[in-house]
C-alpha cells in the first residue's frame, strides 16, 4: 500500500421526504407569535435545511420563493444581476465573471451551487465565501418569514419551501445587506422554474447545454434548452455559449420571442488563440469590443478557454462595452489571472499527481477526457469514480474509457451515491473486469488508485496520475481528504 492516510469520510444525512407547505393571510404575519429558538450554528442550520426538499427536486412554480422575497422586501431588486444557466461550465463562468468584475473595481455578490466542501462556499462577497457565522445569521434573519410562507402554502395544499429556495433567499438578502454593486447568480437546476429566476437580469448567460436532469427538464436537447431559455427576459441581453444546433434553435427562438439582444460564441466573440502553458493556458480573446492579448488563465482545458470567452463577453455586455468602449486590458488580465475554480481539473497532490474534476454527466466527462488527452501525458492514469444514483453513470464511464488505464469505483459521502455493486457492474461492462477495481469508501479508493498508478511498469517522462471524478460531491470529498480548505 502507498501509506497515504486519507482519513475516514462518512455519508451525509438522508434528506427527508416532502411534507406539507403554504398562502399568506394577515394572521400568519404576526412575528411576535414565533417562539424563541435555541442558538444556531452552521451544523444545525444545515441539518434543518436538509429536512426539506433536496435540491435535485423542483416543482414548476415560483410562487413560494416569490412570496418569501415579497416578505423580505424583494432584495433581489436592489442590485443588477448577471444570471447564468446551462448544463456544464456554469460555476466556472460564474467565478470568472466575478473575478473580472472584482478586478474592475466593483463590489460583487456570487451565488453558486452545489458546494464542494462547505455550504458557505455558495454565497460570496467580494469573491470570498461568507463566514459560517454570517451564513447562520443570513438564515436566522429570514427564518420567521420562512415559517410564514410554509404555513400559507400548507393551507393551500402545497409543500414547504425547498432547501434551494431558502438558500436563494439567503443569498439575495445578504447581497442587499452588503450592499453589492452587482450579483453574479448561477442557476441551480434548469432555468424557467429555478428559484433564482425571480428578477430581470442585466445580462443572461447560457453555457453549453447537454442532457442532464431529464426527469425534470425533458428528454430531448430541445426540451432542456427551452427550460434553460426561461432566464432570457423580454428586452434583455443574452450571451450564448457554444451549443448543439437543436439547443441553439430553441434559444434563438426565445431570443426572437422576447426581442432580446444576443451575442453568440464563435460569432460575436470567440477564442482567437490558445496555448497550453505551465499552470494553465495563455489566451487571445476576441470580445464584443476589442481583442485582449496575453490573457493567462490558470485553468486547464479547451472548455475553460471557451468559458473565459463567454465570461468576458458577459462582463463587456454588463458594462456597456461596444466598439469604442473596451474594458481596461490590464484589469482583464489581472482578473483572469486571479480566477480559481476548485474541483475543476484541480491538482490536489503531487507525486503522484492527483487531480479532481466535478464532471457529473457525459457532456462534462467528454470535456474532461479531452483535456486529459490533450494537456496531460501521464505514463499511467487511474480514475476514481463515484456517481450519483440518478446520473448517467454508463455515459460518464464511456466518455472516460479511452483515457484511463484502470478505474476504481467507489461511493461518495452523499446518501444519493450510486450503490457500489451497481456502479461496479456498469464499469466492468465499459472497461472490462480486468481494468476495474472497487473500494467501499473514498479514502480507500484513493489509496488503491495511487498504488495502481505507481507500478514498476511505468514508462515515459510524465509519471503516474490519478483523477477523481463523477460528481461534485466526489470532487469535494477528495478535496477534503487532501486537507484543502473550502474556497
Amino acid at each position: 500500500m502507498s501509506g497515504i492516510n486519507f482519513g475516514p469520510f462518512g455519508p451525509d444525512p438522508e434528506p427527508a421526504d416532502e411534507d406539507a407547505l403554504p398562502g399568506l393571510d394577515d394572521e400568519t404575519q404576526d412575528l411576535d407569535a414565533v417562539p424563541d429558538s435555541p442558538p444556531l450554528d452552521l451544523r444545525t442550520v444545515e441539518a434543518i435545511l436538509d429536512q426539506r426538499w433536496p435540491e435535485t427536486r423542483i416543482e414548476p412554480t415560483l410562487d413560494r420563493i416569490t412570496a418569501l422575497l415579497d416578505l423580505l422586501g424583494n432584495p433581489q431588486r436592489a442590485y443588477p444581476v448577471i444570471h447564468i444557466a446551462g448544463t456544464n461550465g456554469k460555476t466556472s463562468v460564474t467565478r470568472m465573471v466575478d473575478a473580472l468584475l472584482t478586478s474592475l473595481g466593483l463590489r460583487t455578490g456570487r451565488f453558486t451551487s452545489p458546494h464542494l466542501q462547505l455550504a458557505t462556499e455558495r454565497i460570496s462577497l467580494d469573491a470570498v465565501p461568507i463566514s459560517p457565522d454570517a451564513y447562520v445569521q443570513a438564515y436566522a434573519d429570514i427564518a420567521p418569514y420562512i415559517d410564514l410562507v410554509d404555513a400559507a402554502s400548507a393551507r393551500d395544499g402545497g409543500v414547504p419551501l425547498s432547501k434551494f429556495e431558502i438558500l436563494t433567499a439567503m443569498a439575495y438578502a445578504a447581497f442587499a445587506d452588503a450592499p453589492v454593486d452587482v450579483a453574479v447568480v448561477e442557476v441551480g437546476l434548469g432555468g424557467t422554474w429555478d428559484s433564482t429566476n425571480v428578477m430581470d437580469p442585466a445580462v443572461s448567460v447560457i453555457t453549453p447545454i447537454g442532457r442532464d436532469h431529464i426527469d425534470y427538464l425533458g428528454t430531448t436537447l430541445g426540451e432542456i434548452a427551452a427550460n434553460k431559455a426561461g432566464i432570457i427576459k423580454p428586452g434583455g441581453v443574452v450571451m450564448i455559449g457554444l451549443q448543439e444546433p437543436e439547443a441553439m434553435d430553441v434559444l434563438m427562438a426565445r431570443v426572437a420571442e422576447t426581442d432580446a439582444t444576443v451575442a453568440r460564441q464563435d460569432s460575436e466573440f470567440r477564442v482567437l488563440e490558445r496555448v497550453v502553458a505551465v499552470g494553465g493556458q495563455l489566451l487571445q480573446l476576441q470580445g464584443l469590443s476589442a481583442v485582449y492579448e496575453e490573457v493567462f488563465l490558470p485553468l486547464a482545458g479547451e472548455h475553460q478557454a471557451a468559458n473565459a470567452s463567454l465570461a468576458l463577453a458577459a462582463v463587456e455586455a454588463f458594462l456597456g462595452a461596444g466598439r469604442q468602449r473596451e474594458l481596461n486590458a490590464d484589469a482583464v488580465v489581472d482578473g483572469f489571472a486571479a480566477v480559481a475554480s476548485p474541483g475543476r481539473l484541480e491538482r490536489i497532490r503531487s507525486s503522484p499527481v492527483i487531480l479532481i474534476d466535478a464532471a457529473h454527466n457525459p457532456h462534462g466527462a467528454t470535456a474532461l477526457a479531452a483535456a486529459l488527452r490533450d494537456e496531460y501525458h501521464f505514463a499511467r492514469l487511474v480514475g476514481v469514480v463515484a456517481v450519483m444514483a440518478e446520473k448517467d453513470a454508463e455515459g460518464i464511464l464511456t466518455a472516460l474509457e479511452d483515457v484511463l488505464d484502470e478505474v476504481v469505483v467507489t461511493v461518495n459521502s452523499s446518501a444519493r451515491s450510486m450503490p457500489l455493486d451497481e456502479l461496479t457492474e456498469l464499469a466492468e461492462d465499459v472497461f472490462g473486469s480486468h481494468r476495474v477495481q472497487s473500494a467501499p469508501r473514498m479514502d480507500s479508493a484513493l489509496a488503491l488508485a495511487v498504488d495502481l498508478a505507481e507500478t514498476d511498469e511505468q514508462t515515459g517522462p510524465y509519471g503516474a496520475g490519478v483523477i477523481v471524478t463523477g460528481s461534485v460531491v466526489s470532487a469535494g470529498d477528495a478535496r477534503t481528504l487532501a486537507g484543502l480548505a473550502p474556497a
Side-chain angles (χ1 to χ4, degrees):
M1 294 292 289
S2 65
I4 298 173
N5 179 15
F6 290 101
F9 215 78
D12 288 333
E14 181 78 39
D17 288 336
E18 70 277 12
D19 237 332
L21 211 150
L24 299 177
D25 60 28
D26 292 336
E27 293 180 2
T28 62
Q29 300 193 38
D30 180 9
L31 299 186
D32 293 334
V34 179
D36 292 336
S37 299
L40 296 172
D41 58 19
L42 182 60
R43 183 185 296 271
T44 302
V45 169
E46 284 302 282
I48 291 170
L49 293 176
D50 282 340
Q51 298 307 306
R52 294 178 175 270
W53 267 11
E55 296 172 75
T56 54
R57 183 171 185 176
I58 61 174
E59 183 179 307
T61 179
L62 296 176
D63 290 347
R64 294 185 303 273
I65 184 64
T66 298
L68 178 57
L69 292 171
D70 281 345
L71 290 174
L72 297 175
N74 288 303
Q76 77 281 10
R77 299 177 185 169
Y79 38 78
V81 176
I82 298 176
H83 202 194
I84 300 167
T87 301
N88 290 299
K90 298 193 304 293
T91 299
S92 292
V93 170
T94 300
R95 283 177 168 268
M96 291 177 189
V97 169
D98 189 13
L100 287 173
L101 292 170
T102 299
S103 181
L104 289 161
L106 297 178
R107 184 164 204 208
T108 62
R110 184 182 73 220
F111 183 52
T112 57
S113 63
H115 60 273
L116 279 170
Q117 296 169 269
L118 198 64
T120 54
E121 299 167 28
R122 295 169 178 253
I123 304 173
S124 294
L125 294 172
D126 296 322
V128 178
I130 62 174
S131 68
D133 286 346
Y135 184 91
V136 170
Q137 188 60 53
Y139 173 77
D141 287 345
I142 71 171
Y145 304 98
I146 294 170
D147 294 338
L148 296 178
V149 176
D150 283 352
S153 181
R155 284 194 304 275
D156 289 345
V159 298
L161 286 154
S162 70
K163 176 178 181 177
F164 192 72
E165 286 172 323
I166 293 171
L167 291 172
T168 300
M170 288 167 57
Y172 284 154
F175 298 159
D177 287 344
V180 301
D181 297 318
V182 53
V184 189
V185 175
E186 177 187 354
V187 165
L189 197 162
T192 300
W193 303 115
D194 188 78
S195 64
T196 62
N197 195 30
V198 285
M199 41 58 187
D200 291 324
V203 179
S204 299
V205 181
I206 311 288
T207 71
I209 295 172
R211 289 174 175 83
D212 201 5
H213 300 294
I214 61 176
D215 291 344
Y216 292 104
L217 304 182
T219 58
T220 70
L221 204 57
E223 290 172 342
I224 294 169
N227 192 297
K228 296 180 185 294
I231 72 165
I232 302 173
K233 302 297 177 63
V237 176
V238 58
M239 303 292 110
I240 300 179
L242 297 172
Q243 307 292 342
E244 295 291 335
E246 182 181 354
M248 183 63 85
D249 288 347
V250 172
L251 295 176
M252 292 305 293
R254 175 66 178 174
V255 167
E257 174 189 342
T258 57
D259 195 27
T261 300
V262 64
R264 295 153 296 177
Q265 194 155 26
D266 278 1
S267 180
E268 287 78 20
F269 59 93
R270 68 183 67 235
V271 179
L272 292 176
E273 187 176 356
R274 171 180 173 268
V275 178
V276 176
V278 176
Q281 50 193 310
L282 195 64
L283 307 176
Q284 183 186 56
L285 301 175
Q286 171 66 66
L288 299 176
S289 58
V291 173
Y292 300 87
E293 307 273 1
E294 297 187 344
V295 175
F296 177 71
L297 180 68
L299 301 175
E302 186 176 6
H303 60 294
Q304 293 290 18
N307 288 338
S309 173
L310 182 56
L312 175 63
V315 172
E316 286 183 305
F318 175 73
L319 294 175
R323 293 187 180 277
Q324 305 301 319
R325 298 187 62 186
E326 65 184 80
L327 302 179
N328 181 282
D330 289 339
V332 169
V333 170
D334 290 345
F336 276 120
V339 167
S341 195
R344 277 72 186 176
L345 257 180
E346 179 185 15
R347 181 184 295 214
I348 63 170
R349 188 179 183 273
S350 299
S351 189
V353 171
I354 299 179
L355 303 168
I356 60 173
D357 193 87
H360 57 275
N361 53 48
H363 188 274
T366 298
L368 169 61
L372 290 170
R373 186 184 303 110
D374 298 341
E375 299 182 28
Y376 297 87
H377 304 281
F378 295 110
R380 184 170 176 79
L381 181 62
V382 178
V384 175
V385 178
V387 182
M388 295 302 192
E390 71 275 11
K391 294 293 186 175
D392 181 3
E394 183 177 5
I396 293 170
L397 292 164
T398 299
L400 297 171
E401 187 272 333
D402 71 341
V403 297
L404 301 179
D405 293 285
E406 291 188 72
V407 63
V408 180
V409 295
T410 188
V411 295
N412 60 39
S413 61
S414 171
R416 297 187 292 109
S417 189
M418 180 172 287
L420 185 57
D421 56 350
E422 183 178 343
L423 186 57
T424 300
E425 183 177 351
L426 289 172
E428 289 178 344
D429 288 343
V430 173
F431 284 80
S433 59
H434 63 291
R435 295 169 62 197
V436 177
Q437 304 265 8
S438 65
R441 297 167 20 142
M442 181 63 73
D443 55 344
S444 55
L446 274 167
L448 175 57
V450 168
D451 283 342
L452 291 172
E454 291 185 317
T455 68
D456 294 333
E457 301 173 1
Q458 297 175 41
T459 58
Y462 296 104
V466 172
I467 174 71
V468 183
T469 190
S471 167
V472 175
V473 177
S474 301
D477 288 355
R479 207 171 191 276
T480 298
L481 291 169
L484 298 179

